[in-house]
Amino acid sequence: MTRLTALLSVSDKTGVLEFARALSALGIRLLSTGGTAKLLADAGLAVTEVAEHTGFPEMLDGRVKTLHPTIHGGLLARRDLPEHMAALSKHGIATIDLLVVNLYPFEATVAKPGCTLEDAIENIDIGGPAMVRSAAKNWKDVAVLTDASQYAQVLAELKADGAVSRPTRFTLAVAAFNRISNYDGAISDYLSSLQADGSRAAFPAQSNARFVKLQDLRYGENPHQRAAFYRDLHPAPGSLVTATQLQGKELSYNNIADADAAWECVKSFDAPTCVIVKHANPCGVAIGANAAEAYGKAFKTDPTSAFGGIIAFNCELDGAGAALVAKQFVEVLMAPGFTPEALALFVAKPNTRLLQISLPAPGGSTDWDQGRNAQDVKRVGSGLLIQTADNREITQADLKVVTEKQPTQEQFDDLLFAWKVAKYVKSNAIVFCGGGMTLGVGAGQMSRIDSARIASIKAGNSGLTLAGSAVASDAFFPFRDGLDVVIDQGATSVIQPGGSMRDDEVIAAANERGIAMVLTGVRHFRH
């Protein structure tokens, strides 16, 4: 049996020494380059330097070392073609059966705040991707490993059968081409974003989306549509795609869309909070001393819409809270954790999908480490709309009081609560709140007045009074009529962006009606 040869050339050396030691123990010949070769040799392994193998020295500060026919011939030659093998024999080229390569850390380099163009260019790998492509193209004869997570399976097959199986070689080749694609996409994104002055544009001249499929879905938004669920190549911590499903049926397209809306809303609150979503809109949001209180208040907002909804908590769900939730039909239930008592209550409801999602660590400095998307993307005919995400936070210090009447501290708290909820309600959005809970939600109407009326109807249907409530409007009131409607329903304080040509008229109306009004200077359209 011909002795196998492995070529190892890695930037990230995690696990490579142990892997190489195991390959050597199996009688596999080791070739290597630069720092990897030194690591193996220092550990006492018999390793041949690529320069010795090719008979050609490394040059240009290591830029040229594996770009040689002895390397690529050994990777690309088809063992089933006599003419290929004859060519190798004629030129004294040995086959290479395993290639272990990971690439220069380009992505990590350009992510550094002080990265220069020169730094970026020097971290563009040339020889590595060339070898990976050669080996992956010839996957029927060569196994190509591009990540340390692949070492264990390959080693297990070599120990068991003396070879890497055909299905595994193909899977490795696909992973290799995906890695090259992602690598090239990162280079394109970086270079396309550079400005003449050396700064980087927020939106590069070419956008290269890179996503990994999590699962195929039974169907899309409607049964006649096909669908799949993908995640970012490097997902943010605390995002929906990091969830672990503890029980229940497979998530549907609509489940995932609604669950994301609920999770994004609930994790924006600090106190124990419950958010109930139906058809992508919050139909009940409340804070409480614990999960049970938060759920009870959120459910009161709109019990009818809550039926078959998506429920999210930003705190552990205990037995008391679960006992209340279990009384209703819920499609998806999410929380950072579930007590054993809570899990036991849902054993009798096997169709309820339970998702456990860790909250992002508090105090993060970027959107990513706060578990938020840095950008939003919307597909349009043959194109994309890309924007920075609506991650602007508003505090009491940011509010501008524009009326003669000053809000009380209780009103400030209710106004800020209402403003947070309004951000996640489809435009035009009107949200009545009081006592840390939603009282009426009007969403997705062409007229802001209609949204206000719907919100009041919802409150009435649920037996809730709007007297003394706080109201949030996601955009300014273009005329006083919308403001009059919410005041007529009982609102005594209003939060809105301002910025209308008729702001003075609306402020005068608020003074005339004796309410407090604050402006945020920030709009929250959500289409």
Side-chain angles (χ1 to χ4, degrees):
M1 181 177 178
T2 304
R3 185 183 183 190
L4 298 178
T5 297
L7 171 54
L8 301 91
S9 180
V10 294
S11 176
D12 178 0
K13 295 176 175 55
T14 303
V16 75
L17 178 57
E18 294 77 10
F19 185 56
R21 187 175 283 126
L23 294 179
S24 182
L26 291 172
I28 296 173
R29 178 186 177 220
L30 304 180
L31 296 178
S32 192
T33 62
T36 308
K38 184 178 186 306
L39 175 70
L40 304 187
D42 287 349
L45 293 176
V47 58
T48 302
E49 283 262 14
V50 161
E52 180 184 345
H53 179 71
T54 62
F56 198 92
E58 289 188 14
M59 60 185 297
L60 307 181
D61 298 319
R63 286 189 173 199
V64 177
K65 50 192 172 187
T66 59
L67 296 170
H68 193 280
T70 301
I71 299 299
H72 287 273
L75 293 170
L76 281 165
R78 287 180 52 180
R79 281 50 158 179
D80 61 335
L81 293 181
E83 56 269 35
H84 279 205
M85 301 310 293
L88 292 191
S89 178
K90 178 180 178 181
H91 295 285
I93 296 175
T95 57
I96 298 173
D97 308 286
L98 281 85
L99 177 69
V100 184
V101 169
N102 55 56
L103 310 178
Y104 291 174
F106 179 84
E107 296 100 326
T109 298
V110 298
K112 296 175 183 176
C115 176
T116 64
L117 177 59
E118 290 73 20
D119 292 335
I121 293 298
E122 286 307 310
N123 278 277
I124 295 177
D125 204 333
I126 303 300
M131 287 192 293
V132 168
R133 291 176 68 88
S134 291
K137 177 174 180 175
N138 200 27
W139 65 270
K140 291 181 181 179
D141 296 310
V142 181
V144 53
L145 293 78
T146 52
D147 191 270
S149 64
Q150 300 164 335
Y151 296 170
Q153 181 179 352
V154 168
L155 191 58
E157 292 188 10
L158 287 169
K159 287 180 177 179
D161 305 314
V164 182
S165 68
R166 179 186 175 97
T168 297
R169 291 197 307 272
F170 182 73
T171 299
L172 292 170
V174 172
F177 279 120
N178 287 342
R179 175 65 187 118
I180 297 301
S181 172
N182 293 330
Y183 194 73
D184 287 344
I187 295 169
S188 171
D189 282 345
Y190 171 76
L191 295 176
S192 295
S193 71
L194 291 181
Q195 309 281 352
D197 62 0
S199 64
R200 294 177 64 178
F203 303 101
Q206 177 168 312
S207 178
N208 301 278
R210 298 181 291 282
F211 298 93
V212 177
K213 186 166 73 173
L214 291 177
Q215 66 186 94
D216 289 306
L217 302 175
R218 286 173 293 154
Y219 54 83
E221 200 162 10
N222 298 291
H224 62 275
Q225 294 172 269
R226 299 171 63 187
F229 184 28
Y230 289 78
R231 66 161 173 79
D232 282 324
L233 191 63
H234 303 292
S239 53
L240 181 68
V241 297
T242 67
T244 299
Q245 185 166 349
L246 303 180
Q247 76 160 51
K249 298 186 296 185
E250 177 185 310
L251 291 164
S252 71
Y253 181 99
N254 292 327
N255 288 156
I256 294 168
D258 287 350
D260 184 62
W263 184 247
E264 290 300 308
C265 182
V266 81
K267 73 182 184 183
S268 68
F269 291 90
D270 296 324
T273 305
C274 175
V275 173
I276 306 174
V277 162
K278 192 68 172 289
H279 296 302
N281 279 298
C283 61
V285 180
I287 58 176
N290 49 51
E293 182 182 354
Y295 168 75
K297 291 165 67 177
F299 183 75
K300 286 180 183 177
T301 303
D302 191 351
T304 301
S305 296
F307 179 84
I310 310 293
I311 300 178
F313 292 90
N314 65 352
C315 57
E316 182 179 63
L317 182 61
D318 58 13
L324 293 176
V325 175
K327 293 178 181 179
Q328 76 161 100
F329 169 52
V330 54
E331 288 273 5
V332 180
L333 178 58
M334 296 174 284
F338 297 84
T339 66
E341 294 79 10
L343 292 174
L345 280 167
F346 284 95
V347 170
K349 294 177 173 286
N351 289 335
T352 300
R353 304 158 177 89
L354 300 186
L355 301 182
Q356 184 167 315
I357 315 177
S358 297
L359 289 167
S365 59
T366 66
D367 288 325
W368 188 88
D369 58 27
Q370 293 178 46
R372 305 184 303 194
N373 293 328
Q375 292 184 334
D376 283 336
V377 178
K378 183 177 292 187
R379 195 78 165 93
V380 296
S382 298
L384 289 176
L385 286 171
I386 303 178
Q387 63 176 348
T388 57
D390 183 9
N391 291 335
R392 177 73 176 272
E393 301 289 345
I394 293 295
T395 67
Q396 185 170 328
D398 298 315
L399 302 179
K400 180 182 180 182
V401 180
V402 292
T403 50
E404 297 165 359
K405 186 160 190 170
Q406 296 286 312
T408 65
Q409 187 56 53
E410 182 181 359
Q411 286 177 321
F412 270 125
D413 293 342
D414 282 337
L415 289 169
L416 287 170
F417 176 86
W419 184 249
K420 276 193 175 183
V421 176
K423 175 180 173 180
Y424 297 96
V425 177
K426 300 290 186 182
S427 298
N428 284 312
I430 294 289
V431 181
F432 288 84
C433 295
M437 65 176 284
T438 48
L439 301 171
V441 179
Q445 299 304 304
M446 291 70 75
S447 163
R448 194 162 300 279
I449 294 175
D450 288 341
S451 289
R453 288 171 176 156
I454 289 171
S456 65
I457 291 170
K458 289 278 191 181
N461 290 342
S462 300
L464 299 174
T465 178
L466 299 180
S469 60
V471 170
S473 174
D474 66 334
F476 60 65
F477 289 99
F479 303 96
R480 69 167 290 168
D481 52 2
L483 182 67
D484 283 326
V485 169
V486 300
I487 297 173
D488 288 343
Q489 301 304 320
T492 56
S493 58
V494 171
I495 184 170
Q496 56 122 333
S500 167
M501 293 176 60
R502 294 180 174 82
D503 269 354
D504 289 344
E505 175 186 325
V506 174
I507 293 169
N511 286 326
E512 176 190 320
R513 301 294 300 270
I515 70 155
M517 186 163 68
V518 300
L519 304 184
T520 65
V522 176
R523 189 180 73 185
H524 276 323
F525 271 169
R526 189 176 184 86
H527 290 116

